[in-house]
Amino acid sequence: MAESDLPPISNYPAWLWRIFRKIFVVIVFGVGSAIIGIIVFPILRLFNHNKNSFKRAGHKFISFALDFYIHLMSWCRVASYRIDDLKAMRALRGCVIVANHPSLLDVFYILAFVRDADCIVKAGLKKSVVSVIVKNLYISNNIDFEIMQKECVESLHNGGNLIIFPEGTRTPRHGTNQYKKGAARIALAAGANVQPLHIGGNDKYGLGKGESLLLVNPQERYKYDFKVLPQIEMSKYAGLSETIAAKRLTDDMRAIIESVQ
C-alpha cells in the first residue's frame, strides 16, 4: 500500500495524537536502550564472566525488557498484538525461527516471545542507539558468511534460538522478496529444526522499509497477528546434497509462511 492508497484522514486531532504517542514510545525505546548499555550490561558482566553466559543472560534480559515494551505500546494504543501459541514460542530450544518481515517492530515482538534468542542484524545498527546491545549480543550481517554461519551454529548448539528473516529485508506491501538460502544453510549446518512464523495484521504504514517514523496508519493503531506454524524437521533432508537440501528447505519455508492468508 502506497501513501496514496491509504484512506483519507478523517479526524486530524486523533491523527496528530496518534503521531505523538508513536514519538513517545520511540523516545522510551531510545532512553531504555541507553540505560541498558550504560547500566544494565556492566551489572550483568559482574555475574557472568563467561562470554556465553553473558550472552544468554543478556538475551533473557532483552526479552523481558521488550515484553514490557510491547505491552507499553499496547497501553499507549500505538500497537497491539495477538499470538495463537505463545507457550510454544516460550518452549523453543535450539531452533531457527523464520518469518516474513512486514515492519520495523517484527523482531521486537519475536525477541519478547522467545526468552533466549539470537539474531542476525544489520551492520548499520552498530552506529545507532542500540549499538552497545547489538555489539554485545547479536550477530552482524557484514562478516564473511562462513564466519557468520559458525557463530550461528555455535549459538544454536548452546541451546539458544536464532531469528532470521529469509527475505533479508522488510517485506513490501505488494508481493514478497526472493527468499535467500542463508537461513536454510545455517539450519542444516546446525541440524536445527526450523520454526516458521507468519506475521499478519493491518497495514504497517510508517514502519515499512524507507518510511519515516513520523508516519502512521491514519485510522487505527498497528495490529499484529502472529501465527505459529508447524516446525520443519531437518531429518526430512537427510541424504540430500547441501545445495539441494538448502533449496528445498528454503522452498518449504516460503510455502509454509505464505500458506497463511
Side-chain angles (χ1 to χ4, degrees):
M1 182 182 291
E3 183 174 3
S4 59
D5 297 326
L6 292 169
I9 299 169
S10 58
N11 186 329
Y12 274 90
W15 173 68
L16 290 171
W17 178 233
R18 192 172 293 116
I19 291 176
F20 173 81
R21 297 198 306 266
K22 184 177 181 181
I23 292 173
F24 170 73
V25 298
V26 169
I27 291 172
V28 170
F29 177 78
V31 172
S33 297
I35 291 172
I36 289 171
I38 296 170
I39 299 175
V40 176
F41 275 11
I43 294 174
L44 287 180
R45 288 193 183 280
L46 290 175
F47 301 96
N48 298 275
H49 301 290
N50 178 273
K51 177 183 176 182
N52 289 332
S53 65
F54 171 77
K55 283 191 71 171
R56 296 199 72 172
H59 288 162
K60 289 178 181 177
F61 183 88
I62 294 298
S63 180
F64 281 108
L66 287 174
D67 206 348
F68 167 81
Y69 188 68
I70 64 176
H71 283 88
L72 173 67
M73 287 193 292
S74 293
W75 183 78
C76 291
R77 299 179 64 83
V78 171
S80 60
Y81 74 94
R82 175 188 172 277
I83 180 168
D84 63 350
D85 196 347
L86 179 58
K87 185 177 180 180
M89 296 298 287
R90 289 273 196 261
L92 291 178
R93 297 290 183 277
C95 283
V96 175
I97 303 165
V98 296
N100 58 315
H101 192 13
S103 84
L104 183 67
L105 295 178
D106 305 334
V107 71
F108 290 15
Y109 281 99
I110 301 174
L111 287 171
F113 298 152
V114 183
R115 291 303 186 215
D116 187 1
D118 210 334
C119 66
I120 299 173
V121 298
K122 292 192 305 181
L125 291 177
K126 290 184 177 181
K127 298 179 180 179
S128 70
V129 69
V130 295
S131 60
V132 176
I133 296 172
V134 167
K135 289 176 182 177
N136 282 275
L137 295 184
Y138 303 114
I139 301 168
S140 175
N141 69 352
N142 70 334
I143 57 178
D144 182 79
F145 180 79
E146 300 302 322
I147 297 174
M148 182 173 67
Q149 178 176 269
K150 182 179 178 180
E151 290 187 17
C152 291
V153 170
E154 181 182 350
S155 182
L156 289 162
H157 285 175
N158 285 333
N161 302 286
L162 180 68
I163 302 167
I164 304 178
F165 297 106
E167 292 174 74
T169 188
R170 273 170 266 179
T171 310
R173 286 185 168 79
H174 302 293
T176 59
N177 299 302
Q178 181 179 356
Y179 273 42
K180 299 180 180 180
K181 297 185 180 67
R185 290 173 62 188
I186 290 168
L188 290 163
N193 288 348
V194 172
Q195 175 60 68
L197 185 69
H198 181 269
I199 305 172
N202 64 355
D203 188 79
K204 306 301 188 299
Y205 185 65
L207 295 174
K209 187 176 179 63
E211 295 173 353
S212 169
L213 287 175
L214 295 177
L215 302 174
V216 294
N217 186 309
Q219 292 192 331
E220 58 185 350
R221 76 182 82 175
Y222 299 118
K223 295 178 182 177
Y224 287 82
D225 187 6
F226 295 89
K227 294 188 183 299
V228 182
L229 303 169
Q231 277 195 21
I232 306 173
E233 297 186 1
M234 292 305 97
S235 58
K236 179 178 179 180
Y237 310 96
L240 298 177
S241 70
E242 180 183 345
T243 302
I244 294 174
K247 183 181 185 307
R248 291 190 181 177
L249 176 52
T250 302
D251 291 342
D252 288 344
M253 289 178 193
R254 182 164 196 155
I256 291 173
I257 292 172
E258 292 186 355
S259 68
V260 181
Q261 300 299 321

